[in-house]
């Protein structure tokens, strides 16, 4: 039978008459040429990065991606000129795309078989192509024997359908030309009619079997593959350009891997980062940009890693789908603990999550805050409306954070006669009286050498209640009292509870020790404000009813010298909180009258303390007396194993439940339980960090390569890359290109720290950096402490727990574009204005649109925007606060 390809297995082959043999021979050579051309096209497609649009697959979806058990067969019909025209029209629309896709998928062996079949198929295959064989051709087997043949041929014959169409089309055209010229014998037409009838019957049988076969399949692999390609095309053409983002992310990750393999860190950070600049706020791998004052010294190393962008966004998509969520956040941990989040949830349910008055629509008519706190206003600690609702002050609830429902947008006035702060280190010893015009402490604590009034200055002799002869002698006394304390090497980050004016922490700075000092506001008038004005790290906080805003197991030492904390009360609840934040093997130093006095009250307190610390398995290492100051200190050490916990006669306090996360700290009530001590080698806290300063640059031992870091690398490599990156940025830009006089900078805040790389890069300067980890960001604060730095959890939708005019320099790396998804930008900028000193500065790196928005608000506040740089949708500004304050006051609150 003329024009047939292979029939069912074991069947006979029919051949065209002798008059058509020359036609078949010529078609063979034509088919060979077409096949070679298609192979070349296929190789090109395989090496091309482009994706075949799904429109090219619509007509051929079943034939191109059907089950591998289905052979490719054409419909056996004679062609007509009308059919040829239809074939040509279809080929014009779809041929090129189908050829590329099908040719790329075909193997060489199957292609050769189909080529030979095409030589013998003649007119029948052309009919199949002209009548929509792209979709029906996959059904053209012959009964049960055709199904057997399908197992051998697979789907490769379908992928070469376009080749057969080309070959068969040529043969059919030549054959029909000869028919018109009368060269074929008179029996050809009769034979063709019979063949058409047989083929129609054969096709009906095959379609029925194919339907039965499809019903038995659990899934259709071809359709799945087709859907995947359609999805890829949708992603490629979507408004969000997700395909482009993924390509940039993959490129960024390859760059990161290459950097990790190179020995030269500077070269690592500079190579292959141009692609990253294309990513905006929602691009997270390593979105880097930077610039100097003139915008002409843009180096590759200065391109900022944007942990908030695409790379992170792509990972967040996977995390929302339940994949790869290695980083917890304080927002997740405290969601059920804070009632104000109900309002945020209601807002998020109302629409697209955007916040009104995020900047431009706000009425920028500034007014002064009309509050009783005046120039010392701290919104979350001076909220009288909330304080009136508190029924008990027993646990110092009135000193805890109670933020207003709406963040204030008024400006805090300057104290009368305010002057620019004295520079460090002179500021440790004296400050301008008019800047903190309070004398109560000088009157009450003057004999203890806390603070004295000296003309226009307030001076600080360096004393305290327990070390009236100066902090330096006391610091030496502590180190000599216990083996292994080793200030500045083994002991680097400490917590000073009830710090007073923080002279202890101020003098420890000389020993390479960072002290996080805190005390409640107004327990002693302006004590924390004195500390901050002196240039000593401090925050306003209290040991009350909630956990401190720090992770667990991070402080090398906790110190209390007459800190006025009732450790013995409530079953030792507050001591259990100290146990939470103290590193295993770390010391708790208690310098209080019960340690060395014999008054009845002191004796009773000491007995209770001994009972509580013993039940907590703390070891009383020693009690040492300082004869110069007439005091004594008790040195307790936290255990490094769980053995003692298991052998306690009375399990009181009990061990915490396994689901109680010790790192959850943002608005989390205090717990009366003990957390297990980590003992497994990979666990944080199972061993002491490296000695300072090595711990600053070495990835923590508990970061493992199986965990993905914030920027997409394995966590240790991510840490190292971030360290090198910020070292480059600070050295090449911040220290020389921003017009900052660093001799006037002492108090610094990184408003959105990740690994603390920015703070680490400032190591050799006489500054301290408060690293803020946002509550909705990955919880990297333990890493910051592990490397010998310190920081705090915070939500920038609220006010920070510090006095006005606290910081000399703020650094905001992609903070505003991130936070404006949850709250308005204007109150955040107002908070910046509150906590920055006149003459202080802020460096903002963010999306160009966001940077421009913030710059407009700062200008309305009469800040001087000294540097503006923008490139590839990323911007950077450096602005300086002036002395301007509005004349009009807001309504009394």
């Amino acid at each position: 039978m003329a024009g047939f390809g292979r029939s069912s297995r074991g069947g006979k082959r029919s051949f065209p008459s002798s008059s058509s043999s020359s036609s078949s021979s010529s078609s063979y050579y034509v088919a060979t040429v077409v096949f070679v051309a298609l192979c070349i096209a296929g190789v090109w497609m395989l090496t091309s990065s482009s994706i075949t649009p799904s429109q090219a697959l619509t007509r051929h979806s079943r034939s191109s991606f059907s089950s591998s058990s289905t052979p490719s067969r054409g419909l056996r019909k004679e062609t007509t000129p009308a059919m040829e025209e239809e074939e040509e029209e279809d080929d014009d629309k779809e041929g090129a795309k189908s050829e590329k896709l099908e040719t790329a998928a075909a193997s060489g062996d199957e292609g050769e078989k189909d080529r030979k079949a095409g030589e013998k198929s003649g007119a029948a295959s052309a009919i199949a192509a002209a009548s929509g064989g792209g979709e029906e051709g996959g059904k053209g087997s012959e009964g049960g024997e055709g199904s057997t043949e399908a197992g051998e041929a697979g789907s490769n014959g379908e992928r070469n359908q376009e080749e057969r169409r080309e070959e068969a089309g040529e043969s059919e055209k030549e054959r029909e030309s000869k028919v018109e010229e009368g060269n074929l014998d008179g029996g050809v037409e009769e034979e063709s009619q019979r063949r058409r009838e047989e083929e129609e019957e054969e096709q009906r049988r095959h379609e029925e079997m194919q339907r039965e076969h499809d019903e038995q399949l659990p899934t259709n692999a071809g359709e799945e593959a087709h859907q995947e390609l359609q999805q890829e095309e949708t992603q490629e053409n979507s408004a969000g350009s997700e395909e482009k983002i993924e390509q940039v992310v993959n490129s960024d990750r390859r760059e990161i891997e290459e950097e990790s393999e190179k020995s030269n860190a500077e070269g690592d950070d500079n190579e292959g980062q141009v692609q990253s600049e294309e990513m905006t706020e929602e691009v997270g791998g390593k979105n880097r940009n930077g610039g100097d004052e003139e915008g002409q010294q843009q180096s590759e190393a200065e391109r900022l890693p944007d942990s908030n962008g695409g790379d992170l966004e792509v990972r967040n998509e996977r995390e929302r789908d339940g994949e790869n969520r290695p980083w917890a956040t304080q927002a997740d941990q405290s969601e059920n603990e804070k009632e104000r989040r109900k309002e945020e949830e209601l807002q998020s349910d109302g629409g697209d999550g955007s916040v009104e008055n995020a900047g431009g629509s706000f009425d920028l008519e500034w007014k002064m805050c009309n509050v009783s706190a005046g120039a010392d206003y701290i919104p979350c600690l001076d909220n009288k409306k909330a304080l009136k609702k508190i029924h008990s002050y027993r646990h110092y609830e009135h000193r805890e954070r109670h933020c207003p429902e709406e963040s204030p947008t008024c400006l805090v006035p300057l104290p009368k006669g305010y002057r620019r702060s004295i520079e460090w280190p002179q500021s440790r010893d004296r400050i301008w009286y008019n800047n903190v015009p309070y004398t109560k402490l000088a009157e009450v604590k003057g004999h203890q050498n806390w603070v004295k009034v000296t003309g226009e200055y307030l001076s600080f002799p360096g004393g305290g209640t327990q070390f009236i002869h100066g902090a330096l002698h006391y610091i030496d006394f502590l180190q000599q009292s216990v083996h292994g304390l080793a200030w500045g090497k083994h002991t680097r980050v400490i917590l000073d509870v009830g710090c007073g004016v923080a002279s202890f922490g101020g003098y420890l700075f000389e020993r390479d020790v960072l002290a996080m000092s805190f005390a409640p506001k107004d327990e002693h008038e302006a004590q924390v404000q004195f500390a901050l004005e002196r240039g000593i790290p401090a925050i306003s906080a209290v040991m009350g009813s909630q956990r401190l805003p720090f992770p667990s197991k991070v402080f090398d030492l906790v110190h209390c010298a007459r800190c006025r904390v009732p450790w013995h009360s409530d079953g030792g609840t507050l001591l259990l909180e100290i146990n939470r934040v103290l590193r295993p093997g770390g010391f708790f130093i208690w310098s209080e009258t019960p340690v060395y006095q014999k008054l009845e009250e002191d004796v009773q307190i000491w007995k209770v303390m001994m009972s509580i610390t013993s039940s907590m398995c703390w070891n009383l290492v020693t009690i040492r007396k300082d004869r110069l100051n007439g005091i004594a200190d008790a040195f307790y050490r936290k255990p490094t194993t769980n053995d003692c916990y298991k052998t306690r006669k009375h399990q009181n306090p009990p061990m915490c439940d396994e689901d109680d996360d010790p790192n959850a700290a943002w608005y989390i009530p205090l717990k009366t339980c003990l957390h297990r001590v980590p003992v497994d080698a990979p666990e944080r806290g199972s061993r002491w960090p490296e000695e300072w300063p090595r711990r600053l640059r070495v990835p923590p031992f508990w970061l493992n390569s199986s965990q993905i870091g914030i920027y997409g690398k394995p966590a240790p490599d991510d840490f190292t890359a971030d360290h090198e990156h910020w070292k480059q940025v600070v050295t090449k830009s911040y220290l020389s290109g921003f017009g900052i006089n660093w001799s006037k900078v002492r108090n610094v805040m990184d408003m959105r720290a990740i690994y603390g790389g920015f703070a680490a890069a400032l190591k050799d300067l006489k500054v301290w950096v408060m690293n803020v980890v946002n509550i909705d960001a990955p919880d990297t604060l333990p890493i910051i402490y592990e490397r010998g730095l310190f920081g705090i959890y915070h939500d920038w939708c609220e006010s920070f727990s510090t006095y006005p005019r606290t910081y000399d320099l703020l650094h905001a790396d992609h903070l505003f574009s991130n936070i404006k998804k949850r709250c308005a930008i204007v109150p955040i900028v107002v908070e910046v204005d509150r906590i920055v000193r006149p003459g202080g500065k802020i460096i903002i790196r963010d999306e160009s649109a966001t940077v421009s928005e913030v710059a407009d608000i700062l200008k309305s506040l009469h800040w001087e925007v000294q540097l503006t740089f923008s490139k590839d949708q990323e911007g950077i500004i450096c602005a300086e606060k002036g002395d301007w304050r509005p004349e009009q006051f807001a309504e009394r609150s």
Side-chain angles (χ1 to χ4, degrees), residues 367-371 410 888-893:
K367 298 180 180 180
M368 299 271 269
C369 296
N370 193 357
V371 292
C410 58
Q888 188 176 3
F889 279 83
E891 295 183 3
R892 186 75 176 179
S893 60

Side-chain angles (χ1 to χ4, degrees), residues 290-291 734 738 843-845 851 867-870 874-878:
Y734 289 4
F738 279 41
I843 300 173
I844 301 173
R845 308 176 74 115
V851 167
L867 168 69
T868 303
F869 180 81
S870 180
E874 295 289 329
I876 182 169
I877 65 172
C878 181

Side-chain angles (χ1 to χ4, degrees), residues 571-589:
T573 300
L574 301 182
L575 275 179
L576 291 170
E577 174 62 2
I578 294 302
N579 185 77
R580 181 184 73 86
V581 300
L582 183 61
R583 191 181 301 280
F587 287 99
F588 173 68
I589 300 178

Side-chain angles (χ1 to χ4, degrees), residues 499-515:
C499 63
V501 297
S503 289
F504 179 65
Y507 283 89
L508 273 172
F509 194 79
E510 293 182 0
R511 309 295 174 89
D512 272 342
V513 176
L514 278 180

